[in-house]
Amino acid sequence: MSEPRPSDRHDAPDPDDTFEGIVDEATQRDPDLAVIEAGSRTLRAYSGQPQGEAVPARPADPETDKALRAVEQELAGRWGETKLEPSVTRIAALMDVLGEPQRAYPSIHITGTNGKTSTARMIEALLNAFELRTGRYTSPHVQSITERISLDGSPIAPERFVETYEDVKPYVEMVDAQQPYRLSFFEVLTGMAYAAFADAPVDVAVVEVGMGGAWDATNVIDSTVAVVTPISLDHTDRLGTTPAEIAGEKSGIIKPGATVILAQQPVDAAQVMLKKAVEVDATVAREGMEFGVVSREIAVGGQLLTLRGLGGEYDQIFLPLYGAHQAHNAAVALAAVEAFFGIGAEQARSLDIDAIRKAFASVLSPGRLEVVRSSPTVVLDAAHNPAGAKAAAEGVSEAFSFSRLIGVVGTSGDKDVRGLLEAFEPIFAEIVVTQNSTPRAMDADELAAIAVEVFGDDRVQVEPRLDDALEAAITLAEEEDEYAGAGVLVTGSVITVGEARLLLGGG
């Protein structure tokens, strides 16, 4: 790496000492006692400019682009993100030979089924507003692999991505030689992220799990704040077939003494999370009780919120994202940052409202009800499971006055496709089924057969090529004058959305 990591320097300051001053500056509050409830501790509630480049294009310099493609090709030769051997043994071994870079900074760890990336982006923006240097690790990417590792709100530069890979590669090969299985694509990227954050160095890392929690590669960090976004059924072949079973796996990110920020959950999932919190003596703050959305109203380009945080009420917050689910993500993000600063447990004062407003106004979340074209309006949303589809359907219905909405849907073959289509059926006048370019994509004809059962034959059109599907949907939206207010929603997969974004000039 370009310079020694803080953990390698004999004169490196203790992160706890560094943060004591930052926390005191941001949260000058009197200590507050926690409320004892159900054997656990529960937090007591008290009654700009956009972020940097969100989705980078390919490098303009041919040599840099060639180097990045070479790294992408090497990473692609490893186990993909859908092939897993549930263990943190390999990533722990990599961290060991790298000098434990993940311990060079405090972190906020995020799990859940839907909303993780948007919530991570909001947390990052809030921390940046208090002049903390951030590292953010999220997945999957929309268009460029460099999106997954961000510094100070912007994807890591391609040159730095390549440099980081070359720096960790000898250690990756060393671990590969010692283990029964080579490090996977996701494990190598996780190691790269943690090393890049230590090398920067960052003040705090915001880390989204890849899948699950307990055995996820990211779970070699000891985060003081664990965030759990809404849990629903997804990856049921690996995580469990009920919210409770899935919650059991995801609760693995809750570390002893941590603060857990718990979004609204199915009852059985919430019970599992609370039980785990009791077992490890973690503090819990629950949406709808200790924090939440007080009010929200539609505004031009987004929504206007009043949020109740752990330290009081924050009003007149403009969020340039659509949908009630994003308002709830905002409440979770705010509570997570308050908890990071000790508000609600150790401090007794709200965060600066102007900084909060500025931060939320800067948030971008590519591929989440994102408008990429007008006349007709084309919206992208990466919903890939029934719960995400339901939230997207409600969000697009609320935020846009479409007289007629055409869906373009391309999914992965391992998802609850029928459930996703049923969630969209009430809002799509017609649907164009397609497929993206990856091997995981469901065959368009197979998808069409399910779509016909849900929508009826007269509402389904099949266009295997995504570019043809987009053209067909736009043509349908423009078809008649009476439908001048028609729109198109592209959805079903992050990959489908990313490829559509490129085709429509969004990246």
Side-chain angles (χ1 to χ4, degrees), residues 373 375-378 404-408 430 432 461 463 467-481 483-484 486-488 504:
R373 172 182 166 148
S375 300
T377 299
V378 178
R404 184 167 177 253
L405 183 62
I406 311 300
V408 174
E430 296 182 62
V432 182
Q461 182 171 333
E463 294 291 350
D467 54 349
D468 292 338
L470 293 171
E471 183 178 351
I474 290 169
T475 299
L476 286 170
E478 295 175 329
E479 207 164 50
E480 300 177 37
D481 290 342
Y483 295 131
V488 174
L504 293 166

Side-chain angles (χ1 to χ4, degrees), residues 35 37 42-47 262-264 270 274 284-293 308-310:
V35 177
E37 178 173 310
T42 302
L43 286 175
R44 178 176 296 166
Y46 293 87
S47 313
L262 196 61
Q264 291 180 345
L274 291 171
V284 178
R286 301 154 298 177
E287 184 183 6
M289 299 192 75
E290 285 74 46
F291 69 93
V293 179
R308 180 162 59 89
L310 306 177

Side-chain angles (χ1 to χ4, degrees), residues 441-465:
M442 176 174 275
D443 178 77
D445 289 330
E446 184 182 349
L447 177 57
I450 302 172
V452 166
E453 293 177 5
V454 175
F455 288 85
D457 186 67
D458 59 335
R459 294 167 64 193
V460 179
Q461 182 171 333
V462 185
E463 294 291 350
R465 287 174 51 107

Side-chain angles (χ1 to χ4, degrees), residues 160-230:
R160 194 164 187 175
F161 185 91
V162 172
E163 177 187 335
T164 301
Y165 176 75
E166 294 299 336
D167 283 341
V168 305
K169 183 177 178 179
Y171 301 98
V172 167
E173 292 173 344
M174 186 186 307
V175 173
D176 283 344
Q178 297 170 347
Q179 298 293 325
Y181 303 102
R182 297 172 71 214
L183 287 152
S184 69
F185 168 88
F186 187 73
E187 287 170 331
V188 175
L189 273 178
T190 301
M192 288 172 59
Y194 289 160
F197 296 162
D199 190 51
V202 302
D203 295 320
V204 54
V206 182
V207 178
E208 173 189 335
V209 303
M211 185 188 300
W215 46 257
D216 187 73
T218 62
N219 203 31
V220 288
I221 51 177
D222 293 317
S223 296
T224 56
V225 179
V227 177
V228 186
T229 65

